[in-house]
Amino acid sequence: MRTKIVAGNWKMNNDKKESKKLIKDLKKAIKKEKLKNTRVIVAPTFVNLSASLKAADGSAIEVVAQNMHQAKNGAYTGEISADMLKAIGIKTVILGHSERRTYFNETDASLAAKVDAILENDLETIFCFGELLEDRKSENHFSVVESQISNALFHLGADAWKSIILAYEPVWAIGTGETASAEQAQEMHAFIRSIVAKKYNQEVADAVSILYGGSVKPANAEEIFSKPDVDGGLIGGAALNVDDFTRIIKAI
């Protein structure tokens, strides 16, 4: 059975006090829930990772990083290495979010290098990808997604996929209030699983968790999560509100 995952990407939100309070409130909200085969993840900013790890200690909440540089060290002002993250207890890193691709010019090639660094350091990644609105309108969404996945991940051996979580994010539905229908999400997730199976085998494809990210809210979470190839969500804005995030967790 694939692991279900609800991950909250806090992006550039919440100072130290706000981060600790949100985790404290979330601990209270979910401690009575039976999280059967479900991981609950939050991704604070770099400067609040240590405080968030301490706040989450002893709970079911996992704290992960939003990004990582591929180099071990060096003259990369403002960047964070795998060793730095591991030293404070981080085990999972989000890579390839559309905002990183758009605002910071991350490419398939640079992301492939980051994935390699993740695996070399025995870390796990939540790897993001997804099409633009023009790709969807021109019906190129499948080829765009296949290209993003194959260019960044298909150089890996099958064993590496034990450390990979996929997150499909239609860019046109991130922070816009728009969302893919549950049927559109299922269609793409099934396609993603099929190309992984074609490259490797059905066992690898069936084992990888694929999350949907794109304006998931309490009102639509249950319908989206009910689809057979949707294994949870990478949640943006709704993850900043403990009531909304808790309702989304319950929906899975």
Side-chain angles (χ1 to χ4, degrees):
M1 180 182 294
R2 289 191 296 273
T3 302
K4 300 291 186 178
I5 301 168
V6 180
N9 179 15
W10 293 358
K11 307 187 182 184
M12 197 174 72
N13 293 292
N14 294 340
D15 60 19
K16 181 179 179 180
K17 182 178 179 181
E18 291 166 336
S19 297
K20 291 169 67 175
K21 184 179 187 304
L22 184 50
I23 289 175
K24 180 182 178 181
D25 292 343
L26 187 59
K27 285 170 68 173
K28 289 180 180 178
I30 69 170
K31 69 179 181 179
K32 295 180 181 179
E33 298 299 319
K34 295 180 180 179
L35 298 173
K36 297 179 181 178
N37 194 41
T38 301
R39 295 171 62 183
V40 176
I41 291 172
V42 296
T45 61
F46 281 137
V47 296
N48 293 318
L49 285 175
S50 291
S52 297
L53 282 162
K54 185 175 181 180
D57 188 45
S59 75
I61 302 167
E62 300 176 44
V63 177
V64 311
Q66 295 180 18
N67 185 37
M68 186 195 83
H69 195 276
Q70 62 267 33
K72 183 177 179 62
N73 52 45
Y76 302 103
T77 300
E79 293 293 334
I80 304 292
S81 71
D83 282 344
M84 294 173 183
L85 294 174
K86 289 173 66 177
I88 63 171
I90 293 296
K91 299 178 181 179
T92 304
V93 182
I94 297 172
L95 293 179
H97 192 281
S98 64
E99 291 158 0
R100 296 292 313 174
R101 294 173 186 262
T102 300
Y103 303 140
F104 301 99
N105 302 313
E106 289 190 346
T107 64
D108 293 342
S110 68
L111 290 169
K114 289 188 178 190
V115 170
D116 289 345
I118 286 279
L119 298 173
E120 288 166 5
N121 285 278
D122 297 318
L123 294 171
E124 174 188 58
T125 184
I126 299 174
F127 187 82
C128 306
F129 52 89
E131 80 278 8
L132 300 171
L133 181 58
E134 51 263 39
D135 299 321
R136 171 68 64 164
K137 287 184 174 180
S138 61
E139 299 186 352
N140 288 325
H141 45 297
F142 291 120
S143 61
V144 168
V145 165
E146 182 171 10
S147 177
Q148 289 175 332
I149 294 173
S150 61
N151 290 342
L153 300 176
F154 278 3
H155 65 289
L156 303 173
D159 286 347
W161 282 76
K162 296 175 183 177
S163 299
I164 295 171
I165 298 163
L166 298 178
Y168 166 60
E169 299 186 306
V171 180
W172 48 272
I174 298 175
T176 63
E178 297 292 333
T179 186
S181 68
E183 290 73 23
Q184 287 174 317
Q186 167 58 24
E187 180 184 40
M188 181 59 82
H189 282 227
F191 171 75
I192 293 162
R193 211 175 295 284
S194 74
I195 62 173
V196 174
K198 183 178 179 181
K199 171 63 179 179
Y200 298 95
N201 55 59
Q202 196 62 50
E203 183 178 2
V204 171
D206 287 342
V208 65
S209 295
I210 308 176
L211 313 184
Y212 172 77
S215 296
V216 176
K217 301 177 284 291
N220 61 23
E222 185 172 0
E223 184 183 9
I224 293 172
F225 294 166
S226 71
K227 297 303 180 182
D229 287 295
V230 178
D231 302 308
L234 181 59
I235 316 301
L240 299 172
N241 180 289
V242 68
D243 292 332
D244 286 348
F245 196 47
T246 301
R247 288 171 62 193
I248 291 171
I249 293 167
K250 290 179 179 180
I252 205 164

